[in-house]
Short mmCIF file of all heavy atoms in Angstrom, two decimals:
data_model
loop_
_atom_site.label_atom_id
_atom_site.label_comp_id
_atom_site.label_asym_id
_atom_site.label_seq_id
_atom_site.Cartn_x
_atom_site.Cartn_y
_atom_site.Cartn_z
N HIS A 314 10.81 27.07 46.49
CA HIS A 314 10.98 27.96 45.32
C HIS A 314 9.62 28.32 44.77
O HIS A 314 8.89 27.45 44.29
CB HIS A 314 11.85 27.28 44.28
CG HIS A 314 13.17 26.83 44.84
ND1 HIS A 314 14.16 27.74 45.21
CD2 HIS A 314 13.65 25.61 45.19
CE1 HIS A 314 15.19 27.08 45.70
NE2 HIS A 314 14.94 25.81 45.70
N LEU A 315 9.27 29.61 44.86
CA LEU A 315 7.96 30.05 44.49
C LEU A 315 8.00 30.89 43.20
O LEU A 315 8.90 31.68 42.96
CB LEU A 315 7.36 30.97 45.60
CG LEU A 315 6.72 30.29 46.81
CD1 LEU A 315 7.65 29.31 47.51
CD2 LEU A 315 6.23 31.34 47.79
N ALA A 316 6.95 30.72 42.37
CA ALA A 316 6.75 31.55 41.16
C ALA A 316 5.37 32.16 41.27
O ALA A 316 4.41 31.45 41.67
CB ALA A 316 6.87 30.70 39.91
N ALA A 317 5.27 33.42 40.88
CA ALA A 317 3.96 34.12 40.92
C ALA A 317 2.94 33.38 40.02
O ALA A 317 3.30 32.94 38.93
CB ALA A 317 4.11 35.55 40.49
N ALA A 318 1.73 33.25 40.54
CA ALA A 318 0.70 32.49 39.78
C ALA A 318 -0.51 33.34 39.54
O ALA A 318 -1.64 32.92 39.56
CB ALA A 318 0.33 31.23 40.54
N GLY A 319 -0.27 34.63 39.29
CA GLY A 319 -1.39 35.56 39.03
C GLY A 319 -1.01 36.97 39.50
O GLY A 319 0.10 37.20 39.91
N GLN A 320 -1.98 37.85 39.35
CA GLN A 320 -1.73 39.22 39.71
C GLN A 320 -2.71 39.70 40.75
O GLN A 320 -3.77 39.07 40.94
CB GLN A 320 -1.89 40.15 38.48
CG GLN A 320 -0.82 39.81 37.46
CD GLN A 320 -0.91 40.67 36.22
OE1 GLN A 320 -2.00 41.18 35.88
NE2 GLN A 320 0.21 40.90 35.56
N VAL A 321 -2.40 40.76 41.45
CA VAL A 321 -3.31 41.35 42.41
C VAL A 321 -3.42 42.84 42.03
O VAL A 321 -2.39 43.50 41.91
CB VAL A 321 -2.77 41.23 43.85
CG1 VAL A 321 -3.69 41.95 44.85
CG2 VAL A 321 -2.58 39.78 44.21
N SER A 322 -4.61 43.29 41.80
CA SER A 322 -4.75 44.69 41.36
C SER A 322 -4.27 45.65 42.43
O SER A 322 -4.51 45.45 43.60
CB SER A 322 -6.19 44.97 40.95
OG SER A 322 -6.99 45.06 42.09
N GLY A 323 -3.57 46.66 42.01
CA GLY A 323 -3.14 47.69 42.92
C GLY A 323 -1.80 47.45 43.58
O GLY A 323 -1.24 48.31 44.22
N ILE A 324 -1.20 46.30 43.34
CA ILE A 324 0.07 46.03 44.00
C ILE A 324 0.95 45.17 43.14
O ILE A 324 0.49 44.27 42.45
CB ILE A 324 -0.16 45.36 45.40
CG1 ILE A 324 1.10 45.34 46.24
CG2 ILE A 324 -0.77 43.99 45.28
CD1 ILE A 324 0.81 45.09 47.70
N SER A 325 2.27 45.49 43.13
CA SER A 325 3.18 44.60 42.42
C SER A 325 4.06 43.89 43.41
O SER A 325 4.39 44.43 44.47
CB SER A 325 4.01 45.43 41.40
OG SER A 325 4.99 46.17 42.12
N PHE A 326 4.41 42.66 43.10
CA PHE A 326 5.18 41.79 44.03
C PHE A 326 6.07 40.91 43.18
O PHE A 326 5.89 40.76 41.97
CB PHE A 326 4.20 40.95 44.91
CG PHE A 326 3.23 40.15 44.17
CD1 PHE A 326 3.50 38.80 43.88
CD2 PHE A 326 2.03 40.67 43.72
CE1 PHE A 326 2.58 38.00 43.17
CE2 PHE A 326 1.11 39.93 42.96
CZ PHE A 326 1.40 38.57 42.74
N PRO A 327 7.09 40.29 43.80
CA PRO A 327 8.08 39.56 42.99
C PRO A 327 7.54 38.39 42.20
O PRO A 327 6.65 37.69 42.69
CB PRO A 327 9.10 39.06 44.05
CG PRO A 327 8.89 39.90 45.25
CD PRO A 327 7.40 40.30 45.23
N ASP A 328 8.08 38.22 40.99
CA ASP A 328 7.67 37.08 40.11
C ASP A 328 8.13 35.77 40.71
O ASP A 328 7.49 34.74 40.47
CB ASP A 328 8.34 37.25 38.73
CG ASP A 328 7.69 38.35 37.91
OD1 ASP A 328 6.54 38.69 38.28
OD2 ASP A 328 8.32 38.86 36.99
N SER A 329 9.29 35.81 41.35
CA SER A 329 9.77 34.57 41.97
C SER A 329 10.42 34.86 43.32
O SER A 329 10.95 35.94 43.52
CB SER A 329 10.75 33.87 41.02
OG SER A 329 11.97 34.62 40.98
N VAL A 330 10.23 33.92 44.20
CA VAL A 330 10.75 34.07 45.57
C VAL A 330 11.37 32.76 45.97
O VAL A 330 10.77 31.68 45.79
CB VAL A 330 9.58 34.41 46.57
CG1 VAL A 330 10.14 34.55 48.01
CG2 VAL A 330 8.87 35.66 46.16
N ASP A 331 12.57 32.80 46.55
CA ASP A 331 13.17 31.62 47.13
C ASP A 331 13.12 31.74 48.62
O ASP A 331 13.76 32.66 49.19
CB ASP A 331 14.64 31.50 46.65
CG ASP A 331 14.70 31.26 45.15
OD1 ASP A 331 14.02 30.34 44.64
OD2 ASP A 331 15.45 32.01 44.48
N LEU A 332 12.33 30.91 49.26
CA LEU A 332 12.24 30.90 50.69
C LEU A 332 13.28 29.88 51.21
O LEU A 332 12.98 28.70 51.30
CB LEU A 332 10.82 30.54 51.18
CG LEU A 332 9.71 31.49 50.71
CD1 LEU A 332 8.36 30.92 51.08
CD2 LEU A 332 9.92 32.88 51.33
N TRP A 333 14.46 30.37 51.55
CA TRP A 333 15.53 29.49 51.93
C TRP A 333 15.33 28.89 53.31
O TRP A 333 14.80 29.58 54.22
CB TRP A 333 16.89 30.24 51.88
CG TRP A 333 17.21 30.82 50.56
CD1 TRP A 333 17.23 32.14 50.22
CD2 TRP A 333 17.51 30.10 49.35
NE1 TRP A 333 17.54 32.29 48.87
CE2 TRP A 333 17.72 31.05 48.34
CE3 TRP A 333 17.62 28.75 49.02
CZ2 TRP A 333 18.03 30.70 47.00
CZ3 TRP A 333 17.92 28.38 47.72
CH2 TRP A 333 18.15 29.37 46.73
N ALA A 334 15.70 27.68 53.45
CA ALA A 334 15.55 26.92 54.72
C ALA A 334 16.19 27.71 55.88
O ALA A 334 17.36 28.17 55.76
CB ALA A 334 16.18 25.54 54.62
N GLY A 335 15.44 27.92 56.95
CA GLY A 335 15.97 28.54 58.13
C GLY A 335 16.23 30.04 58.02
O GLY A 335 16.86 30.62 58.90
N ARG A 336 15.77 30.67 56.95
CA ARG A 336 16.07 32.08 56.75
C ARG A 336 14.76 32.91 56.59
O ARG A 336 13.72 32.34 56.28
CB ARG A 336 16.92 32.28 55.50
CG ARG A 336 18.26 31.61 55.62
CD ARG A 336 19.19 32.16 54.59
NE ARG A 336 20.36 31.32 54.46
CZ ARG A 336 21.28 31.46 53.58
NH1 ARG A 336 21.20 32.40 52.68
NH2 ARG A 336 22.35 30.67 53.55
N THR A 337 14.93 34.19 56.80
CA THR A 337 13.83 35.15 56.53
C THR A 337 14.18 35.92 55.29
O THR A 337 15.31 36.40 55.15
CB THR A 337 13.71 36.12 57.75
OG1 THR A 337 13.48 35.35 58.90
CG2 THR A 337 12.57 37.10 57.50
N VAL A 338 13.28 35.97 54.33
CA VAL A 338 13.55 36.71 53.11
C VAL A 338 12.64 37.91 52.98
O VAL A 338 11.59 37.97 53.58
CB VAL A 338 13.46 35.81 51.84
CG1 VAL A 338 14.39 34.66 51.92
CG2 VAL A 338 12.02 35.41 51.60
N LEU A 339 13.09 38.89 52.19
CA LEU A 339 12.31 40.08 51.98
C LEU A 339 11.58 40.02 50.65
O LEU A 339 12.17 39.61 49.63
CB LEU A 339 13.24 41.29 51.93
CG LEU A 339 14.02 41.64 53.22
CD1 LEU A 339 14.92 42.84 52.96
CD2 LEU A 339 13.05 41.94 54.35
N LEU A 340 10.34 40.39 50.66
CA LEU A 340 9.58 40.52 49.39
C LEU A 340 9.25 41.98 49.21
O LEU A 340 8.67 42.61 50.07
CB LEU A 340 8.24 39.75 49.51
CG LEU A 340 8.22 38.29 49.04
CD1 LEU A 340 8.90 37.42 50.04
CD2 LEU A 340 6.76 37.85 48.87
N ARG A 341 9.68 42.51 48.07
CA ARG A 341 9.50 43.93 47.82
C ARG A 341 8.11 44.16 47.21
O ARG A 341 7.79 43.59 46.14
CB ARG A 341 10.61 44.34 46.84
CG ARG A 341 10.75 45.79 46.57
CD ARG A 341 11.92 45.90 45.56
NE ARG A 341 11.68 47.01 44.69
CZ ARG A 341 12.42 48.12 44.76
NH1 ARG A 341 13.42 48.21 45.61
NH2 ARG A 341 12.18 49.12 43.93
N LEU A 342 7.33 45.00 47.90
CA LEU A 342 5.98 45.29 47.43
C LEU A 342 5.96 46.77 47.00
O LEU A 342 6.62 47.61 47.57
CB LEU A 342 4.96 45.05 48.51
CG LEU A 342 4.96 43.69 49.21
CD1 LEU A 342 3.87 43.62 50.22
CD2 LEU A 342 4.81 42.57 48.19
N ARG A 343 5.10 47.03 46.06
CA ARG A 343 4.95 48.43 45.58
C ARG A 343 3.51 48.63 45.10
O ARG A 343 2.93 47.73 44.55
CB ARG A 343 5.84 48.57 44.33
CG ARG A 343 6.67 49.81 44.32
CD ARG A 343 7.31 49.87 42.92
NE ARG A 343 8.79 49.87 42.94
CZ ARG A 343 9.47 51.00 43.11
NH1 ARG A 343 8.89 52.15 43.28
NH2 ARG A 343 10.78 50.93 43.04
N ALA A 344 3.02 49.84 45.35
CA ALA A 344 1.68 50.18 44.85
C ALA A 344 1.78 50.33 43.34
O ALA A 344 2.67 51.03 42.84
CB ALA A 344 1.15 51.47 45.47
N SER A 345 0.90 49.66 42.60
CA SER A 345 1.01 49.77 41.12
C SER A 345 0.03 50.82 40.57
O SER A 345 0.09 51.20 39.46
CB SER A 345 0.73 48.41 40.47
OG SER A 345 -0.52 47.90 40.88
N GLU A 346 -0.89 51.26 41.40
CA GLU A 346 -1.76 52.36 40.95
C GLU A 346 -1.84 53.38 42.08
O GLU A 346 -1.74 53.00 43.25
CB GLU A 346 -3.21 51.84 40.72
CG GLU A 346 -3.35 50.87 39.60
CD GLU A 346 -4.62 50.04 39.74
OE1 GLU A 346 -5.61 50.54 40.28
OE2 GLU A 346 -4.59 48.90 39.26
N ALA A 347 -2.01 54.61 41.72
CA ALA A 347 -2.12 55.64 42.75
C ALA A 347 -3.49 55.68 43.30
O ALA A 347 -4.46 55.26 42.64
CB ALA A 347 -1.71 57.00 42.16
N GLY A 348 -3.59 56.14 44.50
CA GLY A 348 -4.90 56.47 45.06
C GLY A 348 -5.77 55.29 45.45
O GLY A 348 -7.00 55.39 45.42
N LEU A 349 -5.19 54.15 45.83
CA LEU A 349 -6.00 53.04 46.28
C LEU A 349 -6.59 53.29 47.63
O LEU A 349 -7.60 52.68 48.05
CB LEU A 349 -5.22 51.75 46.28
CG LEU A 349 -5.26 50.98 44.96
CD1 LEU A 349 -4.24 49.88 44.93
CD2 LEU A 349 -6.67 50.47 44.69
N GLY A 350 -5.90 54.20 48.34
CA GLY A 350 -6.49 54.65 49.58
C GLY A 350 -6.34 53.67 50.74
O GLY A 350 -5.31 53.53 51.34
N ASP A 351 -7.42 52.94 50.97
CA ASP A 351 -7.66 52.24 52.22
C ASP A 351 -6.84 50.99 52.51
O ASP A 351 -6.01 50.57 51.73
CB ASP A 351 -9.16 51.87 52.27
CG ASP A 351 -9.76 52.40 53.55
OD1 ASP A 351 -9.05 52.99 54.36
OD2 ASP A 351 -11.00 52.26 53.66
N ARG A 352 -7.11 50.40 53.63
CA ARG A 352 -6.50 49.13 54.03
C ARG A 352 -6.96 48.03 53.08
O ARG A 352 -8.06 48.05 52.57
CB ARG A 352 -6.96 48.72 55.42
CG ARG A 352 -6.34 49.43 56.50
CD ARG A 352 -7.24 49.54 57.73
NE ARG A 352 -6.58 50.39 58.70
CZ ARG A 352 -5.77 49.94 59.63
NH1 ARG A 352 -5.54 48.66 59.76
NH2 ARG A 352 -5.20 50.77 60.45
N LYS A 353 -6.11 46.99 52.96
CA LYS A 353 -6.49 45.93 52.06
C LYS A 353 -5.84 44.64 52.50
O LYS A 353 -4.62 44.58 52.74
CB LYS A 353 -6.06 46.29 50.65
CG LYS A 353 -6.80 45.61 49.59
CD LYS A 353 -6.37 46.20 48.24
CE LYS A 353 -7.17 45.57 47.13
NZ LYS A 353 -6.69 46.03 45.81
N GLU A 354 -6.61 43.57 52.64
CA GLU A 354 -6.02 42.26 52.89
C GLU A 354 -5.59 41.70 51.54
O GLU A 354 -6.39 41.66 50.61
CB GLU A 354 -7.07 41.29 53.48
CG GLU A 354 -7.63 41.69 54.82
CD GLU A 354 -6.64 41.39 55.96
OE1 GLU A 354 -5.63 40.71 55.75
OE2 GLU A 354 -6.87 41.89 57.07
N VAL A 355 -4.35 41.31 51.42
CA VAL A 355 -3.83 40.85 50.15
C VAL A 355 -3.38 39.41 50.25
O VAL A 355 -2.70 39.04 51.20
CB VAL A 355 -2.69 41.75 49.65
CG1 VAL A 355 -2.03 41.17 48.44
CG2 VAL A 355 -3.20 43.19 49.38
N ALA A 356 -3.77 38.57 49.27
CA ALA A 356 -3.25 37.20 49.19
C ALA A 356 -2.43 37.13 47.91
O ALA A 356 -2.95 37.22 46.82
CB ALA A 356 -4.40 36.23 49.16
N LEU A 357 -1.09 37.03 48.08
CA LEU A 357 -0.23 37.00 46.91
C LEU A 357 -0.21 35.54 46.38
O LEU A 357 0.18 34.61 47.10
CB LEU A 357 1.18 37.40 47.28
CG LEU A 357 1.30 38.79 47.95
CD1 LEU A 357 2.76 39.06 48.37
CD2 LEU A 357 0.79 39.91 47.02
N PRO A 358 -0.66 35.35 45.16
CA PRO A 358 -0.76 34.00 44.62
C PRO A 358 0.57 33.45 44.08
O PRO A 358 1.23 34.11 43.26
CB PRO A 358 -1.81 34.13 43.46
CG PRO A 358 -1.62 35.57 42.97
CD PRO A 358 -1.15 36.37 44.16
#
Side-chain angles (χ1 to χ4, degrees):
H314 304 291
L315 278 56
Q320 296 182 332
V321 178
S322 72
I324 191 162
S325 74
F326 55 96
D328 286 340
S329 68
V330 180
D331 295 309
L332 298 173
W333 302 111
R336 298 195 193 174
T337 302
V338 302
L339 296 177
L340 269 73
R341 190 181 148 107
L342 308 181
R343 225 188 239 275
S345 57
E346 293 160 30
L349 271 169
D351 234 357
R352 284 153 186 269
K353 205 173 180 185
E354 296 283 348
V355 171
L357 306 175

